[in-house]
Amino acid sequence: MGVDMLYVEFDPKPFSEKFYNELFNELKSVRKKLELGLHFGVWAGGLPSEKMIESISNIFPREMSIIELSPESMNEKIRKMNGRGYYSNDELIATLKKILKSKLSACMFYTVGLPFESRKEVWETIESARKMLDYGVMHSVFVIPIEPGSPMWLFPQRYKVKLFRKTFLIFSCILFPFQKGSILSIR
């Protein structure tokens, strides 16, 4: 037993990469004594720089390390409208190629049901996710449960979403189907 993976969640913009570069350099000397992989999640706002990718691949064991990117949508307009980064798909693909070239694993996170997203844009994202498999990129596609009381639930027209769960009871039964008191748990 012990620690074999360091999990870091990182939003590169507006934060600086300086802190992480200093942290990784500090870990470089210690890392030789332990096999410590890195699970590096890059969420909102941007992409990791080439320097950061190189730093990760030089310090951490490549076979034990992964960089996660979370564009949420492969439609640039939808991604920007939802605050998930102001980078193009070309920049995203170029970053993925740098990650894979450095022999690190890559994973992409997508979300279906984003505000302002149409069926066409959902299918664009799903098709892009399928294509990423050809490059050896892992991916996860999530569906947003619109929570009662959230802005999208209160004002669906504003966000161009369609509500399927219009009461808290229906919402809670779907998320927690067998919890005591749920309709589905009653015999």
Side-chain angles (χ1 to χ4, degrees):
M1 270 215 247
V3 177
D4 62 359
M5 182 73 69
L6 173 64
Y7 288 84
V8 177
E9 305 301 325
F10 174 60
D11 285 336
K13 307 256 173 25
F15 304 108
S16 167
E17 292 184 4
K18 181 180 176 191
F19 169 79
Y20 290 101
N21 286 324
E22 289 173 5
L23 174 66
F24 296 158
N25 284 328
E26 288 291 322
L27 288 172
K28 192 175 193 174
S29 60
V30 176
R31 208 222 42 88
K32 292 180 183 187
K33 297 175 188 164
L34 29 119
E35 286 298 306
L36 181 67
L38 179 68
H39 192 113
F40 195 71
V42 182
W43 305 114
L47 298 168
S49 69
E50 189 167 357
K51 180 181 177 186
M52 178 151 298
I53 295 167
E54 285 175 20
S55 176
I56 292 168
S57 69
N58 289 331
I59 295 170
F60 296 93
R62 295 176 185 143
E63 68 280 359
M64 294 175 63
S65 299
I66 184 168
I67 296 178
E68 298 175 337
L69 303 178
S70 187
E72 303 304 334
S73 175
M74 286 305 287
N75 182 286
E76 294 174 17
K77 179 181 168 193
I78 296 299
R79 186 165 56 236
K80 288 177 187 172
M81 290 174 79
N82 284 281
R84 298 309 286 187
Y86 296 94
Y87 49 85
S88 69
N89 287 340
D90 290 340
E91 291 170 310
L92 176 61
I93 300 300
T95 301
L96 276 173
K97 287 179 179 177
K98 290 172 190 169
I99 293 168
L100 297 173
K101 185 179 177 185
S102 71
K103 306 284 191 237
L104 294 163
S105 295
C107 184
M108 300 271 285
F109 283 86
Y110 306 99
T111 301
V112 175
L114 293 168
F116 314 108
E117 188 174 50
S118 69
R119 285 179 188 225
K120 177 182 173 262
E121 292 148 347
V122 167
W123 284 108
E124 283 175 15
T125 295
I126 291 169
E127 285 304 313
S128 292
R130 286 185 185 146
K131 289 177 187 173
M132 294 296 158
L133 287 173
D134 295 340
Y135 295 102
V137 175
M138 298 173 279
H139 63 268
S140 294
V141 179
F142 297 95
V143 176
I144 290 181
I146 301 174
E147 298 176 5
S150 69
M152 287 189 344
W153 191 80
L154 293 170
F155 310 105
Q157 315 84 334
R158 181 186 302 168
Y159 296 98
K160 299 183 181 177
V161 296
K162 185 175 181 181
L163 295 179
F164 295 99
R165 299 175 195 114
K166 296 184 180 178
T167 68
F168 185 76
L169 180 62
I170 293 170
F171 176 82
S172 66
C173 288
I174 290 169
L175 287 183
F176 313 106
F178 302 105
Q179 187 170 355
K180 188 175 179 178
S182 159
I183 291 173
L184 296 177
S185 70
I186 300 171
R187 296 180 188 223

